[in-house]
């Protein structure tokens, strides 16, 4: 007998294995680092750089690098650009993450119900269940998402929670479709039948048996939906549909756009911040996708 | 399923979707905080007591809710989407006046993205690690992560001062004199930047998708057969492979119509393109709810028509669709 190799029957935990793949991708690590930096700057930055982003402190439209007091220049009212960039991330990230959370909760719940109960797989136990072929999703998909969100925010009020809910309400169909596909794939596998045979309830099977196994692609799509939600928030605040008293990158672009021909920085800099944030989220998402996708492992 | 029954079934389903959108609009008016009459009047200063009374009467707001819904639906069926008290025009007229520019923008962007995107994808699939491949990857990263209105504004800065080649705002030059042809050229000239901005996002997606499906197809048996019997390489790519690679792209393009319209709202606002998007923006500033809800309804209608068309084109192009699902 040769020296005992690590027991091949004991598998590495899936999360550990996924992290192993994730760690090897340079782009994914770069994305993760960038994202963490942006979050830290947004959270701690305002405590270190204490200039009020709403206060007028210098001559309007001062170019970056001209005055030491305002290193990145000022906007059309004379407010500090750097303070705006540091403080603007908090609202954008908060709305982006909570909207993505709402998207994921609605999407997974509806997708799980449709995937589990839909069709004939359970011997037609639920012929009149409420989600035949996910028609509800199709209804929401004919409404252009941004316009629908604009309507919701206008009819109710442009506060951060409403904006987050509106983005969540308009963007769940994609997640629901994915969850449904995963649930259909898994619902008749042996271990689900095994659970059923020991008379586990539907609720138990959906949330405790199938969902954990359907998670990897859903985690990837949730990550990507954070990026989409951030773009959405930016679009809405660019159109003036967000809380006018809270600085956000989209709002900075929207309010500065009249002055772009005299002052390139007022729209360029906040846009770069949005770009970097969405880029970092999507790099992390791509990395997770590779990490969770067994087909791509050991390339 | 043969073509005609499938078409009828899709039409019936589309009609149901249209009614559902109208019901949603109706519910939104009633769920919004405040008196529905105020919501319909648009909260503008112009809404006098007489106007409010007229609204209550014409929408039957003193009736039970289901009667109101019925009134709303039958009004919509006759093309009455309400009155914009801000523009002082029927919402339908307002929307029809702005529909053309939006359709022009969306269709040109979509065609630009489809043609250039597939072409770039095919070139990239020829050399998977070549310059075009990398360019496509970079464009798709930028297209995904940069907010579309910001890309537009960057182009405005670039073309306003650095390279003043294209107009950065509006749809035509009102000072221009000349015949139809000169005007069409002028509109095309104004269309370049907005269509490019809107198209580039989808161009990136389509080229990535084409590249991926081409790479898969080029490895398949029938391509090997074609090459073995001496089909010229350009025919292998252009005829045998591309035909099959293009189907998923048609599907995606059809499904994305709603997202493209959303993008058009932002692009139109950036370039002051006089379409539904700028109308939506203006009516939001004015809190003109009937117009906003009318635009939501109309754009949903456009998406439904686009989906229906894609579905039918698909059935015509690919005879396999529908036959297996009997």
């Amino acid at each position: 007998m040769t020296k005992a190799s690590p027991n091949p029957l004991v598998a590495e935990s899936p999360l550990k294995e996924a992290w192993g793949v994730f760690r090897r991708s340079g782009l994914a690590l770069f994305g993760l680092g960038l994202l963490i930096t942006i979050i830290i700057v947004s959270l701690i930055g305002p405590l270190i750089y204490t200039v009020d982003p709403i206060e007028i402190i210098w001559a309007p439209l001062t170019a970056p690098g001209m005055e030491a007091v305002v290193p990145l220049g000022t906007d059309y009212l004379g407010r500090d650009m750097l303070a705006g960039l540091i403080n603007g991330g908090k609202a954008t990230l908060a709305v982006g993450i909570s909207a993505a959370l709402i998207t994921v909760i609605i999407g997974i719940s509806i997708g799980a119900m449709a995937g589990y109960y839909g069709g004939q797989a359970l011997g037609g136990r639920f012929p009149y269940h409420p989600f035949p072929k996910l028609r509800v999703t199709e209804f929401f998909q004919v409404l252009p998402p941004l316009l629908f969100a604009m309507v919701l925010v206008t009819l109710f009020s442009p506060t951060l929670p409403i904006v987050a809910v509106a983005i969540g309400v308009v963007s769940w169909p994609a997640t629901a479709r994915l969850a449904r596909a995963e649930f259909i794939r898994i619902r008749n596998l042996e271990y689900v039948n095994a659970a059923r045979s020991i008379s586990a309830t539907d609720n138990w099977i959906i949330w405790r048996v199938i969902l954990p196994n359907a998670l990897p692609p859903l985690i990837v799509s949730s990550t990507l939906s954070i990026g989409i939600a951030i773009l959405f928030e930016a679009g809405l605040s660019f159109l003036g549909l967000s809380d006018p008293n809270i600085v956000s990158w989209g709002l900075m672009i929207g309010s500065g756009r009249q002055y772009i021909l005299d002052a390139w920085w007022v729209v360029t800099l906040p846009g770069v911040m949005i770009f970097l944030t969405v880029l970092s989220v999507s790099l992390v998402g791509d990395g997770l996708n590779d990490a969770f996708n067994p087909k791509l492992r050991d390339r | 399923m043969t073509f005609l029954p499938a078409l009828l079934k899709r039409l019936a389903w589309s009609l149901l979707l249209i009614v559902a959108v109208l019901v949603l609009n109706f519910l939104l008016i009633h769920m919004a905080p405040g008196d529905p009459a105020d919501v319909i009047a648009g909260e503008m200063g112009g809404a006098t007591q007489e106007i409010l009374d007229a609204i209550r009467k014409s929408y039957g707001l003193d009736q039970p809710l289901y009667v109101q819904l019925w009134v709303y639906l039958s009004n919509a069926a006759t093309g009455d989407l309400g009155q914009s008290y801000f523009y002082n025009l029927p919402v339908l007229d307002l929307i029809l006046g702005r529909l053309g520019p939006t359709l022009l923008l969306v269709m040109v962007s979509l065609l630009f993205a489809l043609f250039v995107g597939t072409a770039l994808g095919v070139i990239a699939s020829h050399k998977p690690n070549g310059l075009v491949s990398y360019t496509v990857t970079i464009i798709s990263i930028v297209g995904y992560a940069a907010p579309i209105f910001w890309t537009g504004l960057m182009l405005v800065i670039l073309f306003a001062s650095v390279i003043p080649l294209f107009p950065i705002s509006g749809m035509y030059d009102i000072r221009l004199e000349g015949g139809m042809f000169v005007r069409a050229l002028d509109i095309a000239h104004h269309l370049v930047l907005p269509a490019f901005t809107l198209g580039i996002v989808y161009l990136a997606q389509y080229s990535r998708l084409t590249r991926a499906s081409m790479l898969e197809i080029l490895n398949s048996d029938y391509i090997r057969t074609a090459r073995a019997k001496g089909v010229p390489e350009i025919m292998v790519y252009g005829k045998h492979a591309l035909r099959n690679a293009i189907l998923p792209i048609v599907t995606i393009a059809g499904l994305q119509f709603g997202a493209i319209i959303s993008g058009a709202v932002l692009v139109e606002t950036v370039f002051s393109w006089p379409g539904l998007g700028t109308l939506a923006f203006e009516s939001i500033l004015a809190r003109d709810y009937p117009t906003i809800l009318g635009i939501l309804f109309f754009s949903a209608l456009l998406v439904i028509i686009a989906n229906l068309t894609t579905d039918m084109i698909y059935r015509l192009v690919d005879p396999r669709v529908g036959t297996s699902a009997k």
Side-chain angles (χ1 to χ4, degrees):
Chain A
M1 275 305 215
T2 51
K3 209 170 80 181
S5 57
N7 187 350
L9 294 177
V10 178
E12 229 180 357
S13 92
L15 273 183
K16 222 171 168 183
E17 204 181 334
W19 169 243
V21 179
F22 188 89
R23 214 177 38 184
R24 282 202 295 276
S25 157
L27 273 179
L29 280 186
F30 170 73
L32 188 64
L34 187 60
L35 185 61
I36 292 176
T37 314
I38 292 171
I39 292 176
I40 290 179
V41 168
S42 298
L43 290 181
I44 303 177
L47 304 176
I48 299 168
Y49 189 80
T50 49
V51 179
D52 186 346
I54 302 181
E55 202 187 337
I56 296 168
I57 60 163
W58 207 255
L61 300 181
T62 307
M66 302 300 281
E67 297 289 343
V69 194
V70 282
L72 289 181
T74 57
D75 72 354
Y76 67 105
L77 286 177
R79 298 177 294 196
D80 187 14
M81 286 293 294
L82 181 60
L85 294 180
I86 289 176
N87 286 276
K90 230 183 313 181
T92 307
L93 285 169
V95 170
I97 291 171
S98 39
L101 213 63
I102 296 170
T103 306
V104 167
I105 291 173
I106 305 180
I108 291 186
S109 307
I110 292 185
M113 295 299 152
Y116 185 71
Y117 292 121
Q120 298 298 310
L122 297 171
R125 259 208 296 161
F126 295 93
Y128 301 110
H129 67 82
F131 306 110
K133 287 189 183 170
L134 217 58
R135 285 288 158 95
V136 190
T137 318
E138 200 175 326
F139 169 63
F140 274 88
Q141 277 179 336
V142 303
L143 300 163
L146 182 71
L147 264 174
F148 189 22
M150 283 163 76
V151 169
L152 290 178
V153 176
T154 317
L155 277 176
F156 298 93
S157 56
T159 58
L160 293 191
I162 298 266
V163 171
V165 169
I167 297 173
V169 165
V170 303
S171 30
W172 60 267
T175 314
R177 275 182 184 268
L178 185 66
R180 172 176 175 265
E182 280 299 301
F183 268 69
I184 288 178
R185 183 176 70 79
I186 297 174
R187 69 182 177 188
N188 282 329
L189 294 182
E190 277 94 350
Y191 59 84
V192 180
N193 284 331
R196 212 170 276 138
S197 71
I198 57 168
S199 57
T201 60
D202 282 346
N203 258 333
W204 178 274
I205 294 176
I206 289 176
W207 303 116
R208 304 298 293 269
V209 180
I210 303 185
L211 185 64
N213 290 289
L215 270 185
L218 291 172
I219 291 176
V220 174
S221 104
S222 316
T223 318
L224 295 178
S225 61
I226 296 179
I228 294 170
I230 289 175
L231 287 176
F232 246 107
E233 190 276 337
L236 287 173
S237 28
F238 167 72
L239 293 171
L241 288 171
S242 70
D243 196 326
N245 300 317
I246 297 177
V247 187
S248 78
W249 294 327
L251 185 69
M252 290 172 79
I253 299 179
S255 58
R257 63 177 270 234
Q258 281 167 280
Y259 309 92
I260 51 171
L261 296 182
D262 308 312
W264 57 268
W265 58 93
V266 289
V267 297
T268 310
L269 299 179
V272 170
M273 293 307 294
I274 299 172
F275 174 72
L276 289 178
T277 312
V278 179
L279 180 70
S280 66
V281 172
S282 76
L283 289 178
V284 171
D286 280 352
L288 288 176
N289 193 27
D290 291 354
F292 282 133
N293 194 339
K295 277 191 206 162
L296 296 173
R297 277 186 197 156
D298 304 320
R299 280 181 300 189
Chain B
M1 212 185 283
T2 45
F3 190 73
L4 199 63
L7 177 67
L8 288 176
K9 204 175 155 192
R10 287 291 307 188
L11 275 177
W13 171 239
S14 304
L15 207 65
L16 203 68
L17 279 177
I18 292 171
V19 175
V21 176
L22 284 170
V23 173
L24 174 82
N25 269 1
F26 175 80
L27 291 178
L28 283 174
I29 293 176
H30 286 268
M31 274 158 56
D35 183 358
D38 275 331
V39 175
I40 296 166
E43 284 180 11
M44 283 308 288
T48 58
Q49 196 55 44
E50 285 131 55
I51 291 182
L52 288 179
D53 288 341
I55 289 172
R56 285 202 184 91
K57 191 152 173 280
S58 72
Y59 282 79
L61 291 182
D62 45 354
Q63 309 278 326
L65 210 59
Y66 64 90
V67 179
Q68 295 182 32
L69 177 63
W70 178 247
V71 171
Y72 185 79
L73 288 181
S74 37
N75 280 349
T78 59
D80 178 8
L81 291 175
Q83 177 84 16
S84 160
Y85 293 92
F86 177 69
Y87 292 97
N88 213 3
L89 273 174
V91 168
L92 187 69
D93 296 358
L94 205 55
I95 289 177
L96 288 180
R98 300 289 195 101
L99 191 60
T102 295
L103 279 181
L104 181 70
L105 172 65
V106 166
M107 294 315 284
V108 169
S109 314
L110 198 57
L111 289 177
F112 161 69
L114 274 174
F115 280 105
V116 183
T118 18
L120 283 178
V122 170
I123 298 173
S125 74
H126 188 57
K127 278 189 184 150
N129 292 315
L131 188 65
V132 177
S133 260
Y134 284 118
T135 317
V136 163
T137 310
I138 289 175
I139 296 178
S140 55
I141 290 173
V142 175
Y144 174 79
I148 191 166
F149 55 90
W150 183 69
T151 320
L153 288 170
M154 292 299 103
L155 288 177
V156 168
I157 294 179
L158 187 69
F159 283 92
S161 43
V162 189
I163 349 172
L165 271 181
F166 300 107
I168 52 166
S169 136
M171 184 168 159
Y172 35 74
D173 191 345
I174 39 167
R175 293 161 303 176
L176 194 75
E177 286 171 21
M180 283 279 284
F181 182 69
V182 180
R183 281 184 198 195
L185 261 184
D186 183 43
I187 291 180
H189 193 206
H190 281 79
L191 186 59
V192 172
L193 289 184
F196 181 80
T197 311
L198 186 55
I200 195 88
V201 179
Y202 299 97
L203 180 146
Q205 288 181 21
Y206 300 154
S207 55
R208 266 183 108 173
L209 202 63
T210 313
R211 178 174 174 270
S213 46
M214 283 293 281
L215 283 175
E216 200 179 317
I217 288 168
L218 285 171
N219 273 324
S220 62
D221 289 342
Y222 73 91
I223 294 294
R224 196 174 305 121
T225 312
R227 280 182 173 148
K229 72 176 186 188
V231 175
E233 200 63 355
I234 187 144
M235 293 289 279
V236 169
Y237 273 83
K239 199 174 163 207
H240 293 69
L242 185 58
R243 270 196 174 183
N244 285 294
I246 213 151
L247 277 175
I249 293 159
V250 172
T251 320
I252 300 262
L255 279 177
Q256 278 178 334
F257 206 77
I260 297 179
I261 291 186
S262 291
V265 173
L266 293 167
V267 171
E268 284 182 10
T269 312
V270 169
F271 291 100
S272 311
W273 187 259
L276 286 180
T278 29
L279 183 65
F281 180 61
E282 289 159 7
S283 41
I284 275 177
L285 289 184
R287 304 246 168 263
D288 182 3
Y289 298 117
T291 308
I292 277 238
L293 289 171
I295 295 172
L296 181 67
F297 169 70
F298 240 81
S299 46
L301 196 65
L302 287 181
V303 176
I304 291 171
I305 294 171
N307 287 351
L308 195 65
T309 321
T310 327
D311 199 47
M312 290 303 132
I313 291 179
Y314 211 74
R315 276 170 199 279
L316 287 177
V317 173
D318 188 350
R320 285 170 307 181
V321 177
T323 50
S324 61
K326 253 179 205 169

